[in-house]
């Protein structure tokens, strides 16, 4: 289990969410993951370590962007963290036999990347919301127009 702490409000980062329209049962996803984790502790530990690394990268970027003298690498850290998180969630789903990164989620992630936006599923994944983080509102606006046109 991890720690929860207040996060600074975005200073530079722009945040948005995309509803991909197919919510999954978190209970079913967790049941499948727990079952696999019980059978393969080392594999589960590797994925958990990857998620922890992803979280550290994301938090470092988020904390940097909240400072008035933000390092120019803040968005690189956020992007690296979200990409690593997606990779870990995809591996977890494959190992547990459930679809965490659905085709709809993957399509939004790929479209976001083409627009320079970091994207990852929110919550347990499986088809509900994708969280977006961009370095400008213009990126979010352009992405929205492309997504909904």
């Amino acid at each position: 289990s991890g720690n929860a702490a207040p996060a600074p409000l975005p200073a530079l980062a722009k945040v948005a969410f995309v509803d991909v329209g197919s919510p999954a049962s978190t209970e079913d996803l967790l049941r499948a993951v727990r079952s696999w984790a019980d059978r393969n502790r080392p594999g589960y530990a590797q994925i958990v370590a990857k998620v922890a690394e992803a979280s550290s990268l994301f938090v470092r970027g988020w904390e940097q962007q909240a400072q008035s003298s933000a390092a120019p690498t803040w968005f690189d850290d956020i992007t690296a963290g979200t990409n690593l998180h997606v990779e870990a969630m995809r591996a977890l789903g494959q190992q547990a036999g459930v679809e965490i990164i659905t085709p709809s989620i993957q399509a939004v992630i790929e479209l976001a990347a083409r627009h320079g936006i970091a994207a990852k599923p929110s919550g347990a994944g499986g088809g509900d919301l994708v969280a977006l983080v961009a370095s400008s509102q213009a990126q979010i606006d352009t992405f929205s127009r492309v997504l909904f046109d």
Side-chain angles (χ1 to χ4, degrees):
S1 66
N3 298 321
L9 292 173
L12 300 173
K14 303 304 176 197
V15 178
F17 295 88
V18 175
D19 180 351
V20 295
S22 54
S25 167
T26 300
E27 184 179 326
D28 291 344
L29 290 173
L30 291 176
R31 187 178 307 113
V33 167
R34 285 186 191 118
S35 175
W36 173 73
D38 288 344
R39 295 186 316 272
N40 188 342
R41 286 284 175 207
Y44 180 73
Q46 286 179 331
I47 291 174
V48 168
K50 192 177 279 193
V51 170
E53 181 183 352
S55 296
S56 293
L57 285 166
F58 186 91
V59 167
R60 183 172 70 194
W62 190 262
E63 288 174 346
Q64 286 175 5
Q65 68 81 37
Q67 299 170 8
S68 59
S69 59
T73 60
W74 71 267
F75 192 70
D76 295 338
D77 288 341
I78 286 176
T79 300
T82 57
N83 290 344
L84 189 58
H85 181 268
V86 168
E87 181 183 314
M89 291 297 97
R90 184 176 292 108
L92 182 61
Q94 288 169 346
Q95 293 299 319
V98 292
E99 196 170 56
I100 294 174
I101 305 296
T102 65
S104 296
I105 290 173
Q106 185 61 40
V108 170
I109 289 169
E110 289 173 6
L111 181 62
R114 288 195 298 273
H115 290 274
I117 298 171
K120 65 176 275 315
S122 68
D128 201 9
L129 291 177
V130 176
L132 308 174
V133 181
S135 59
S136 76
Q137 186 60 47
Q139 287 174 298
I140 296 290
D141 294 344
T142 299
F143 175 82
S144 295
R145 281 192 299 276
V146 170
L147 184 65
F148 296 112
D149 281 346

